[in-house]
Amino acid sequence: MSEINFDIINARVTFKNVPLHSLARFRFNDLKVACETFKKIPGVAECIIIQTASRVEIFTVSNLETGDTPDGRRVEGKGLVLNQIKETWESLSELEQIDIDHFDQTLEVYKGTDVYLNLLRLACGLESVVIGKEEILNEIKAALSHAKEINVSGDILNKLFENIIRIASRIRETTGISKNVISLGDVSVKIVDEKAGLDAKKRILLIGTGESAARVAKTLNKKGFAFDVTSKTIERSTGFSKILGGKPIAFEEVLAGFDKYDIVFVATTADYFLITFDRLKLVMEEKKKGTLILDLSDPRTVDEGITALPGIKLLFRDQIAEIYEENVKSRIGMIPAVEKIIEKEIPILEATMKHITA
């Protein structure tokens, strides 16, 4: 039996270089078709796609013992495969011209050992929106399971992902980075539930489409609460809703019908007051039931003057910050320990992958 020579490529677009509301355009509506299409690229023998609310990552293997296909170990071979990955990505997604024009700046590409390092960091929760969150490890497991089910992965990616899952699980357990993880969304929804009570009858509005809004949306989805989402433009709200749920509503429509909502989460990056007394005065003056507004924005985007309106109760981020920030600080303190273990594991993983035989 001889060792297999292969080249692994990881091409990814994440929340770190694309706004969440724009990430929807990079996603694949049919993962099965996407995996199968990437696998049809000449020279590509295996494919796994990790697609979550905050990232789209494609892993391909060029098996270099297939005869007439380009040798991916050579510069021209790698370049050809990568160019075809980009072209295939464009054909399968809903990218706009501006996305295509800037694709080279948006797309992160890793090869060889860097793929192992980045995938292990991801599985350990170091690359997540919420550090240490168990969710991404489960999503990696699901991606592997799906790839096996539709027969697009193979010996190489299966072995890589299985090893990554095993190592990451051990690192998480050893360091405790996954224990008692609380996101901003978890704390926000909990405090609102305590103050006003959350149930299926309450009308919930989420203003914003950034990372803080995403955390709130994830928690609302997890708890089964329907909500409307709005932003500066309806396009942003629509893009956000495609990956994080919620019913997209135009901001002007929200202001005109603000009295319909019982709970409002505001999580924007605007540098001015979005919600003011003057904007809400006419629509809210006849409202009989109360409205709880939690402004998670930094700086604040809800003017305290709205509390003069009947039934308005206003909470700010700093009222929940202590609980959330202590949790974040604790997990950030664990990162060096996680990275130290990862550093020791990568050479072992690299040696393991080199000894795959046909």
Side-chain angles (χ1 to χ4, degrees):
M1 298 177 71
S2 59
E3 292 184 0
I4 300 174
N5 294 312
F6 59 87
D7 186 59
I8 291 184
I9 293 178
N10 169 211
R12 70 184 188 182
V13 176
T14 77
F15 72 97
K16 293 185 177 182
N17 44 24
V18 174
L20 286 172
H21 60 81
S22 298
L23 193 60
R25 299 197 296 268
F26 291 84
R27 290 166 60 87
F28 308 114
N29 292 328
D30 191 324
L31 270 180
K32 180 177 183 292
V33 170
C35 287
E36 291 171 344
T37 306
F38 280 108
K39 191 181 175 185
K40 289 177 182 177
I41 294 174
V44 172
E46 303 180 25
C47 176
I48 292 180
I49 297 177
I50 300 172
Q51 181 165 277
T52 75
S54 57
R55 64 185 60 248
V56 181
E57 303 212 17
I58 301 168
F59 296 81
T60 63
V61 168
S62 298
N63 189 323
L64 308 177
E65 296 183 347
T66 55
D68 297 330
T69 56
D71 189 338
R73 287 169 293 180
R74 298 176 186 151
V75 173
E76 63 270 24
K78 289 181 180 179
L80 180 59
V81 170
L82 182 56
N83 285 337
Q84 290 179 311
I85 287 174
K86 291 178 185 177
E87 291 170 5
T88 303
W89 198 322
E90 291 173 14
S91 71
L92 292 170
S93 58
E94 299 176 355
L95 297 183
E96 297 177 356
Q97 190 58 49
I98 189 172
D99 302 317
I100 296 171
D101 291 342
H102 295 88
F103 206 4
D104 284 339
Q105 290 78 44
T106 302
L107 188 67
E108 296 179 54
V109 179
Y110 299 95
K111 300 172 184 177
T113 306
D114 287 339
V115 176
Y116 308 157
L117 175 60
N118 286 303
L119 184 55
L120 186 52
R121 286 181 59 86
L122 179 64
C124 288
L126 300 188
E127 301 295 323
S128 298
V129 175
V130 180
I131 295 171
K133 196 83 168 177
E134 192 82 24
E135 184 178 13
I136 185 59
L137 184 58
N138 294 330
E139 288 165 337
I140 291 172
K141 291 176 182 177
L144 173 61
S145 177
H146 179 253
K148 287 180 176 179
E149 182 182 330
I150 62 175
N151 198 32
V152 292
S153 61
D155 292 342
I156 296 167
L157 285 181
N158 288 347
K159 186 165 187 176
L160 173 61
F161 272 63
E162 286 163 1
N163 274 281
I164 288 289
I165 291 167
R166 176 181 55 79
I167 296 168
S169 298
R170 188 178 73 244
I171 292 175
R172 284 172 175 268
E173 180 64 29
T174 301
T175 61
I177 197 167
S178 300
K179 293 179 180 177
N180 303 316
V181 175
I182 301 173
S183 76
L184 180 64
D186 295 333
V187 178
S188 301
V189 172
K190 184 175 185 292
I191 197 74
V192 165
D193 191 24
E194 290 174 353
K195 297 290 184 181
L198 278 171
D199 56 55
K201 295 179 181 178
K202 296 282 173 66
R203 289 291 303 273
I204 302 172
L205 172 66
L206 174 60
I207 302 177
T209 54
E211 290 179 25
S212 295
R215 294 170 191 175
V216 174
K218 281 190 172 185
T219 303
L220 289 172
N221 286 326
K222 184 170 61 178
K223 292 185 174 294
F225 294 122
F227 61 96
D228 292 345
V229 60
T230 191
S231 186
K232 187 176 181 180
T233 67
I234 190 64
E235 289 78 17
R236 286 188 178 188
S237 304
T238 301
F240 182 91
S241 69
K242 286 181 179 179
I243 56 177
L244 287 153
K247 179 183 177 183
I249 306 288
F251 187 62
E252 295 75 14
E253 186 179 337
V254 162
L255 290 178
F258 206 85
D259 58 324
K260 296 185 301 185
Y261 296 104
D262 304 295
I263 306 291
V264 180
F265 296 93
V266 185
T268 78
T269 55
D271 56 1
Y272 56 91
F273 287 131
L274 284 174
I275 309 298
T276 64
F277 178 88
D278 289 338
R279 277 185 155 181
L280 298 185
K281 181 181 178 182
L282 291 178
V283 72
M284 294 295 286
E285 60 184 0
E286 299 297 329
K287 186 173 182 183
K288 300 295 189 292
K289 294 182 179 180
T291 299
L292 176 62
I293 301 174
L294 173 55
D295 186 3
L296 298 167
S297 310
D298 186 15
R300 296 175 177 180
T301 55
V302 179
D303 184 2
E304 284 189 76
I306 67 167
T307 55
L309 293 167
I312 292 284
K313 185 168 186 178
L314 179 60
L315 301 174
F316 290 110
R317 183 186 181 116
D318 51 9
Q319 291 172 266
I320 65 169
E322 186 176 351
I323 304 170
Y324 166 66
E325 289 174 2
E326 281 184 7
N327 189 268
V328 172
K329 187 176 180 180
S330 172
R331 281 179 284 116
I332 288 175
M334 298 175 188
I335 291 177
V338 174
E339 290 180 328
K340 189 173 181 179
I341 300 174
I342 288 175
E343 186 179 354
K344 292 180 179 178
E345 290 288 347
I346 290 300
I348 300 171
L349 179 59
E350 187 177 13
T352 300
M353 294 302 295
K354 281 182 179 178
H355 292 130
I356 296 177
T357 57

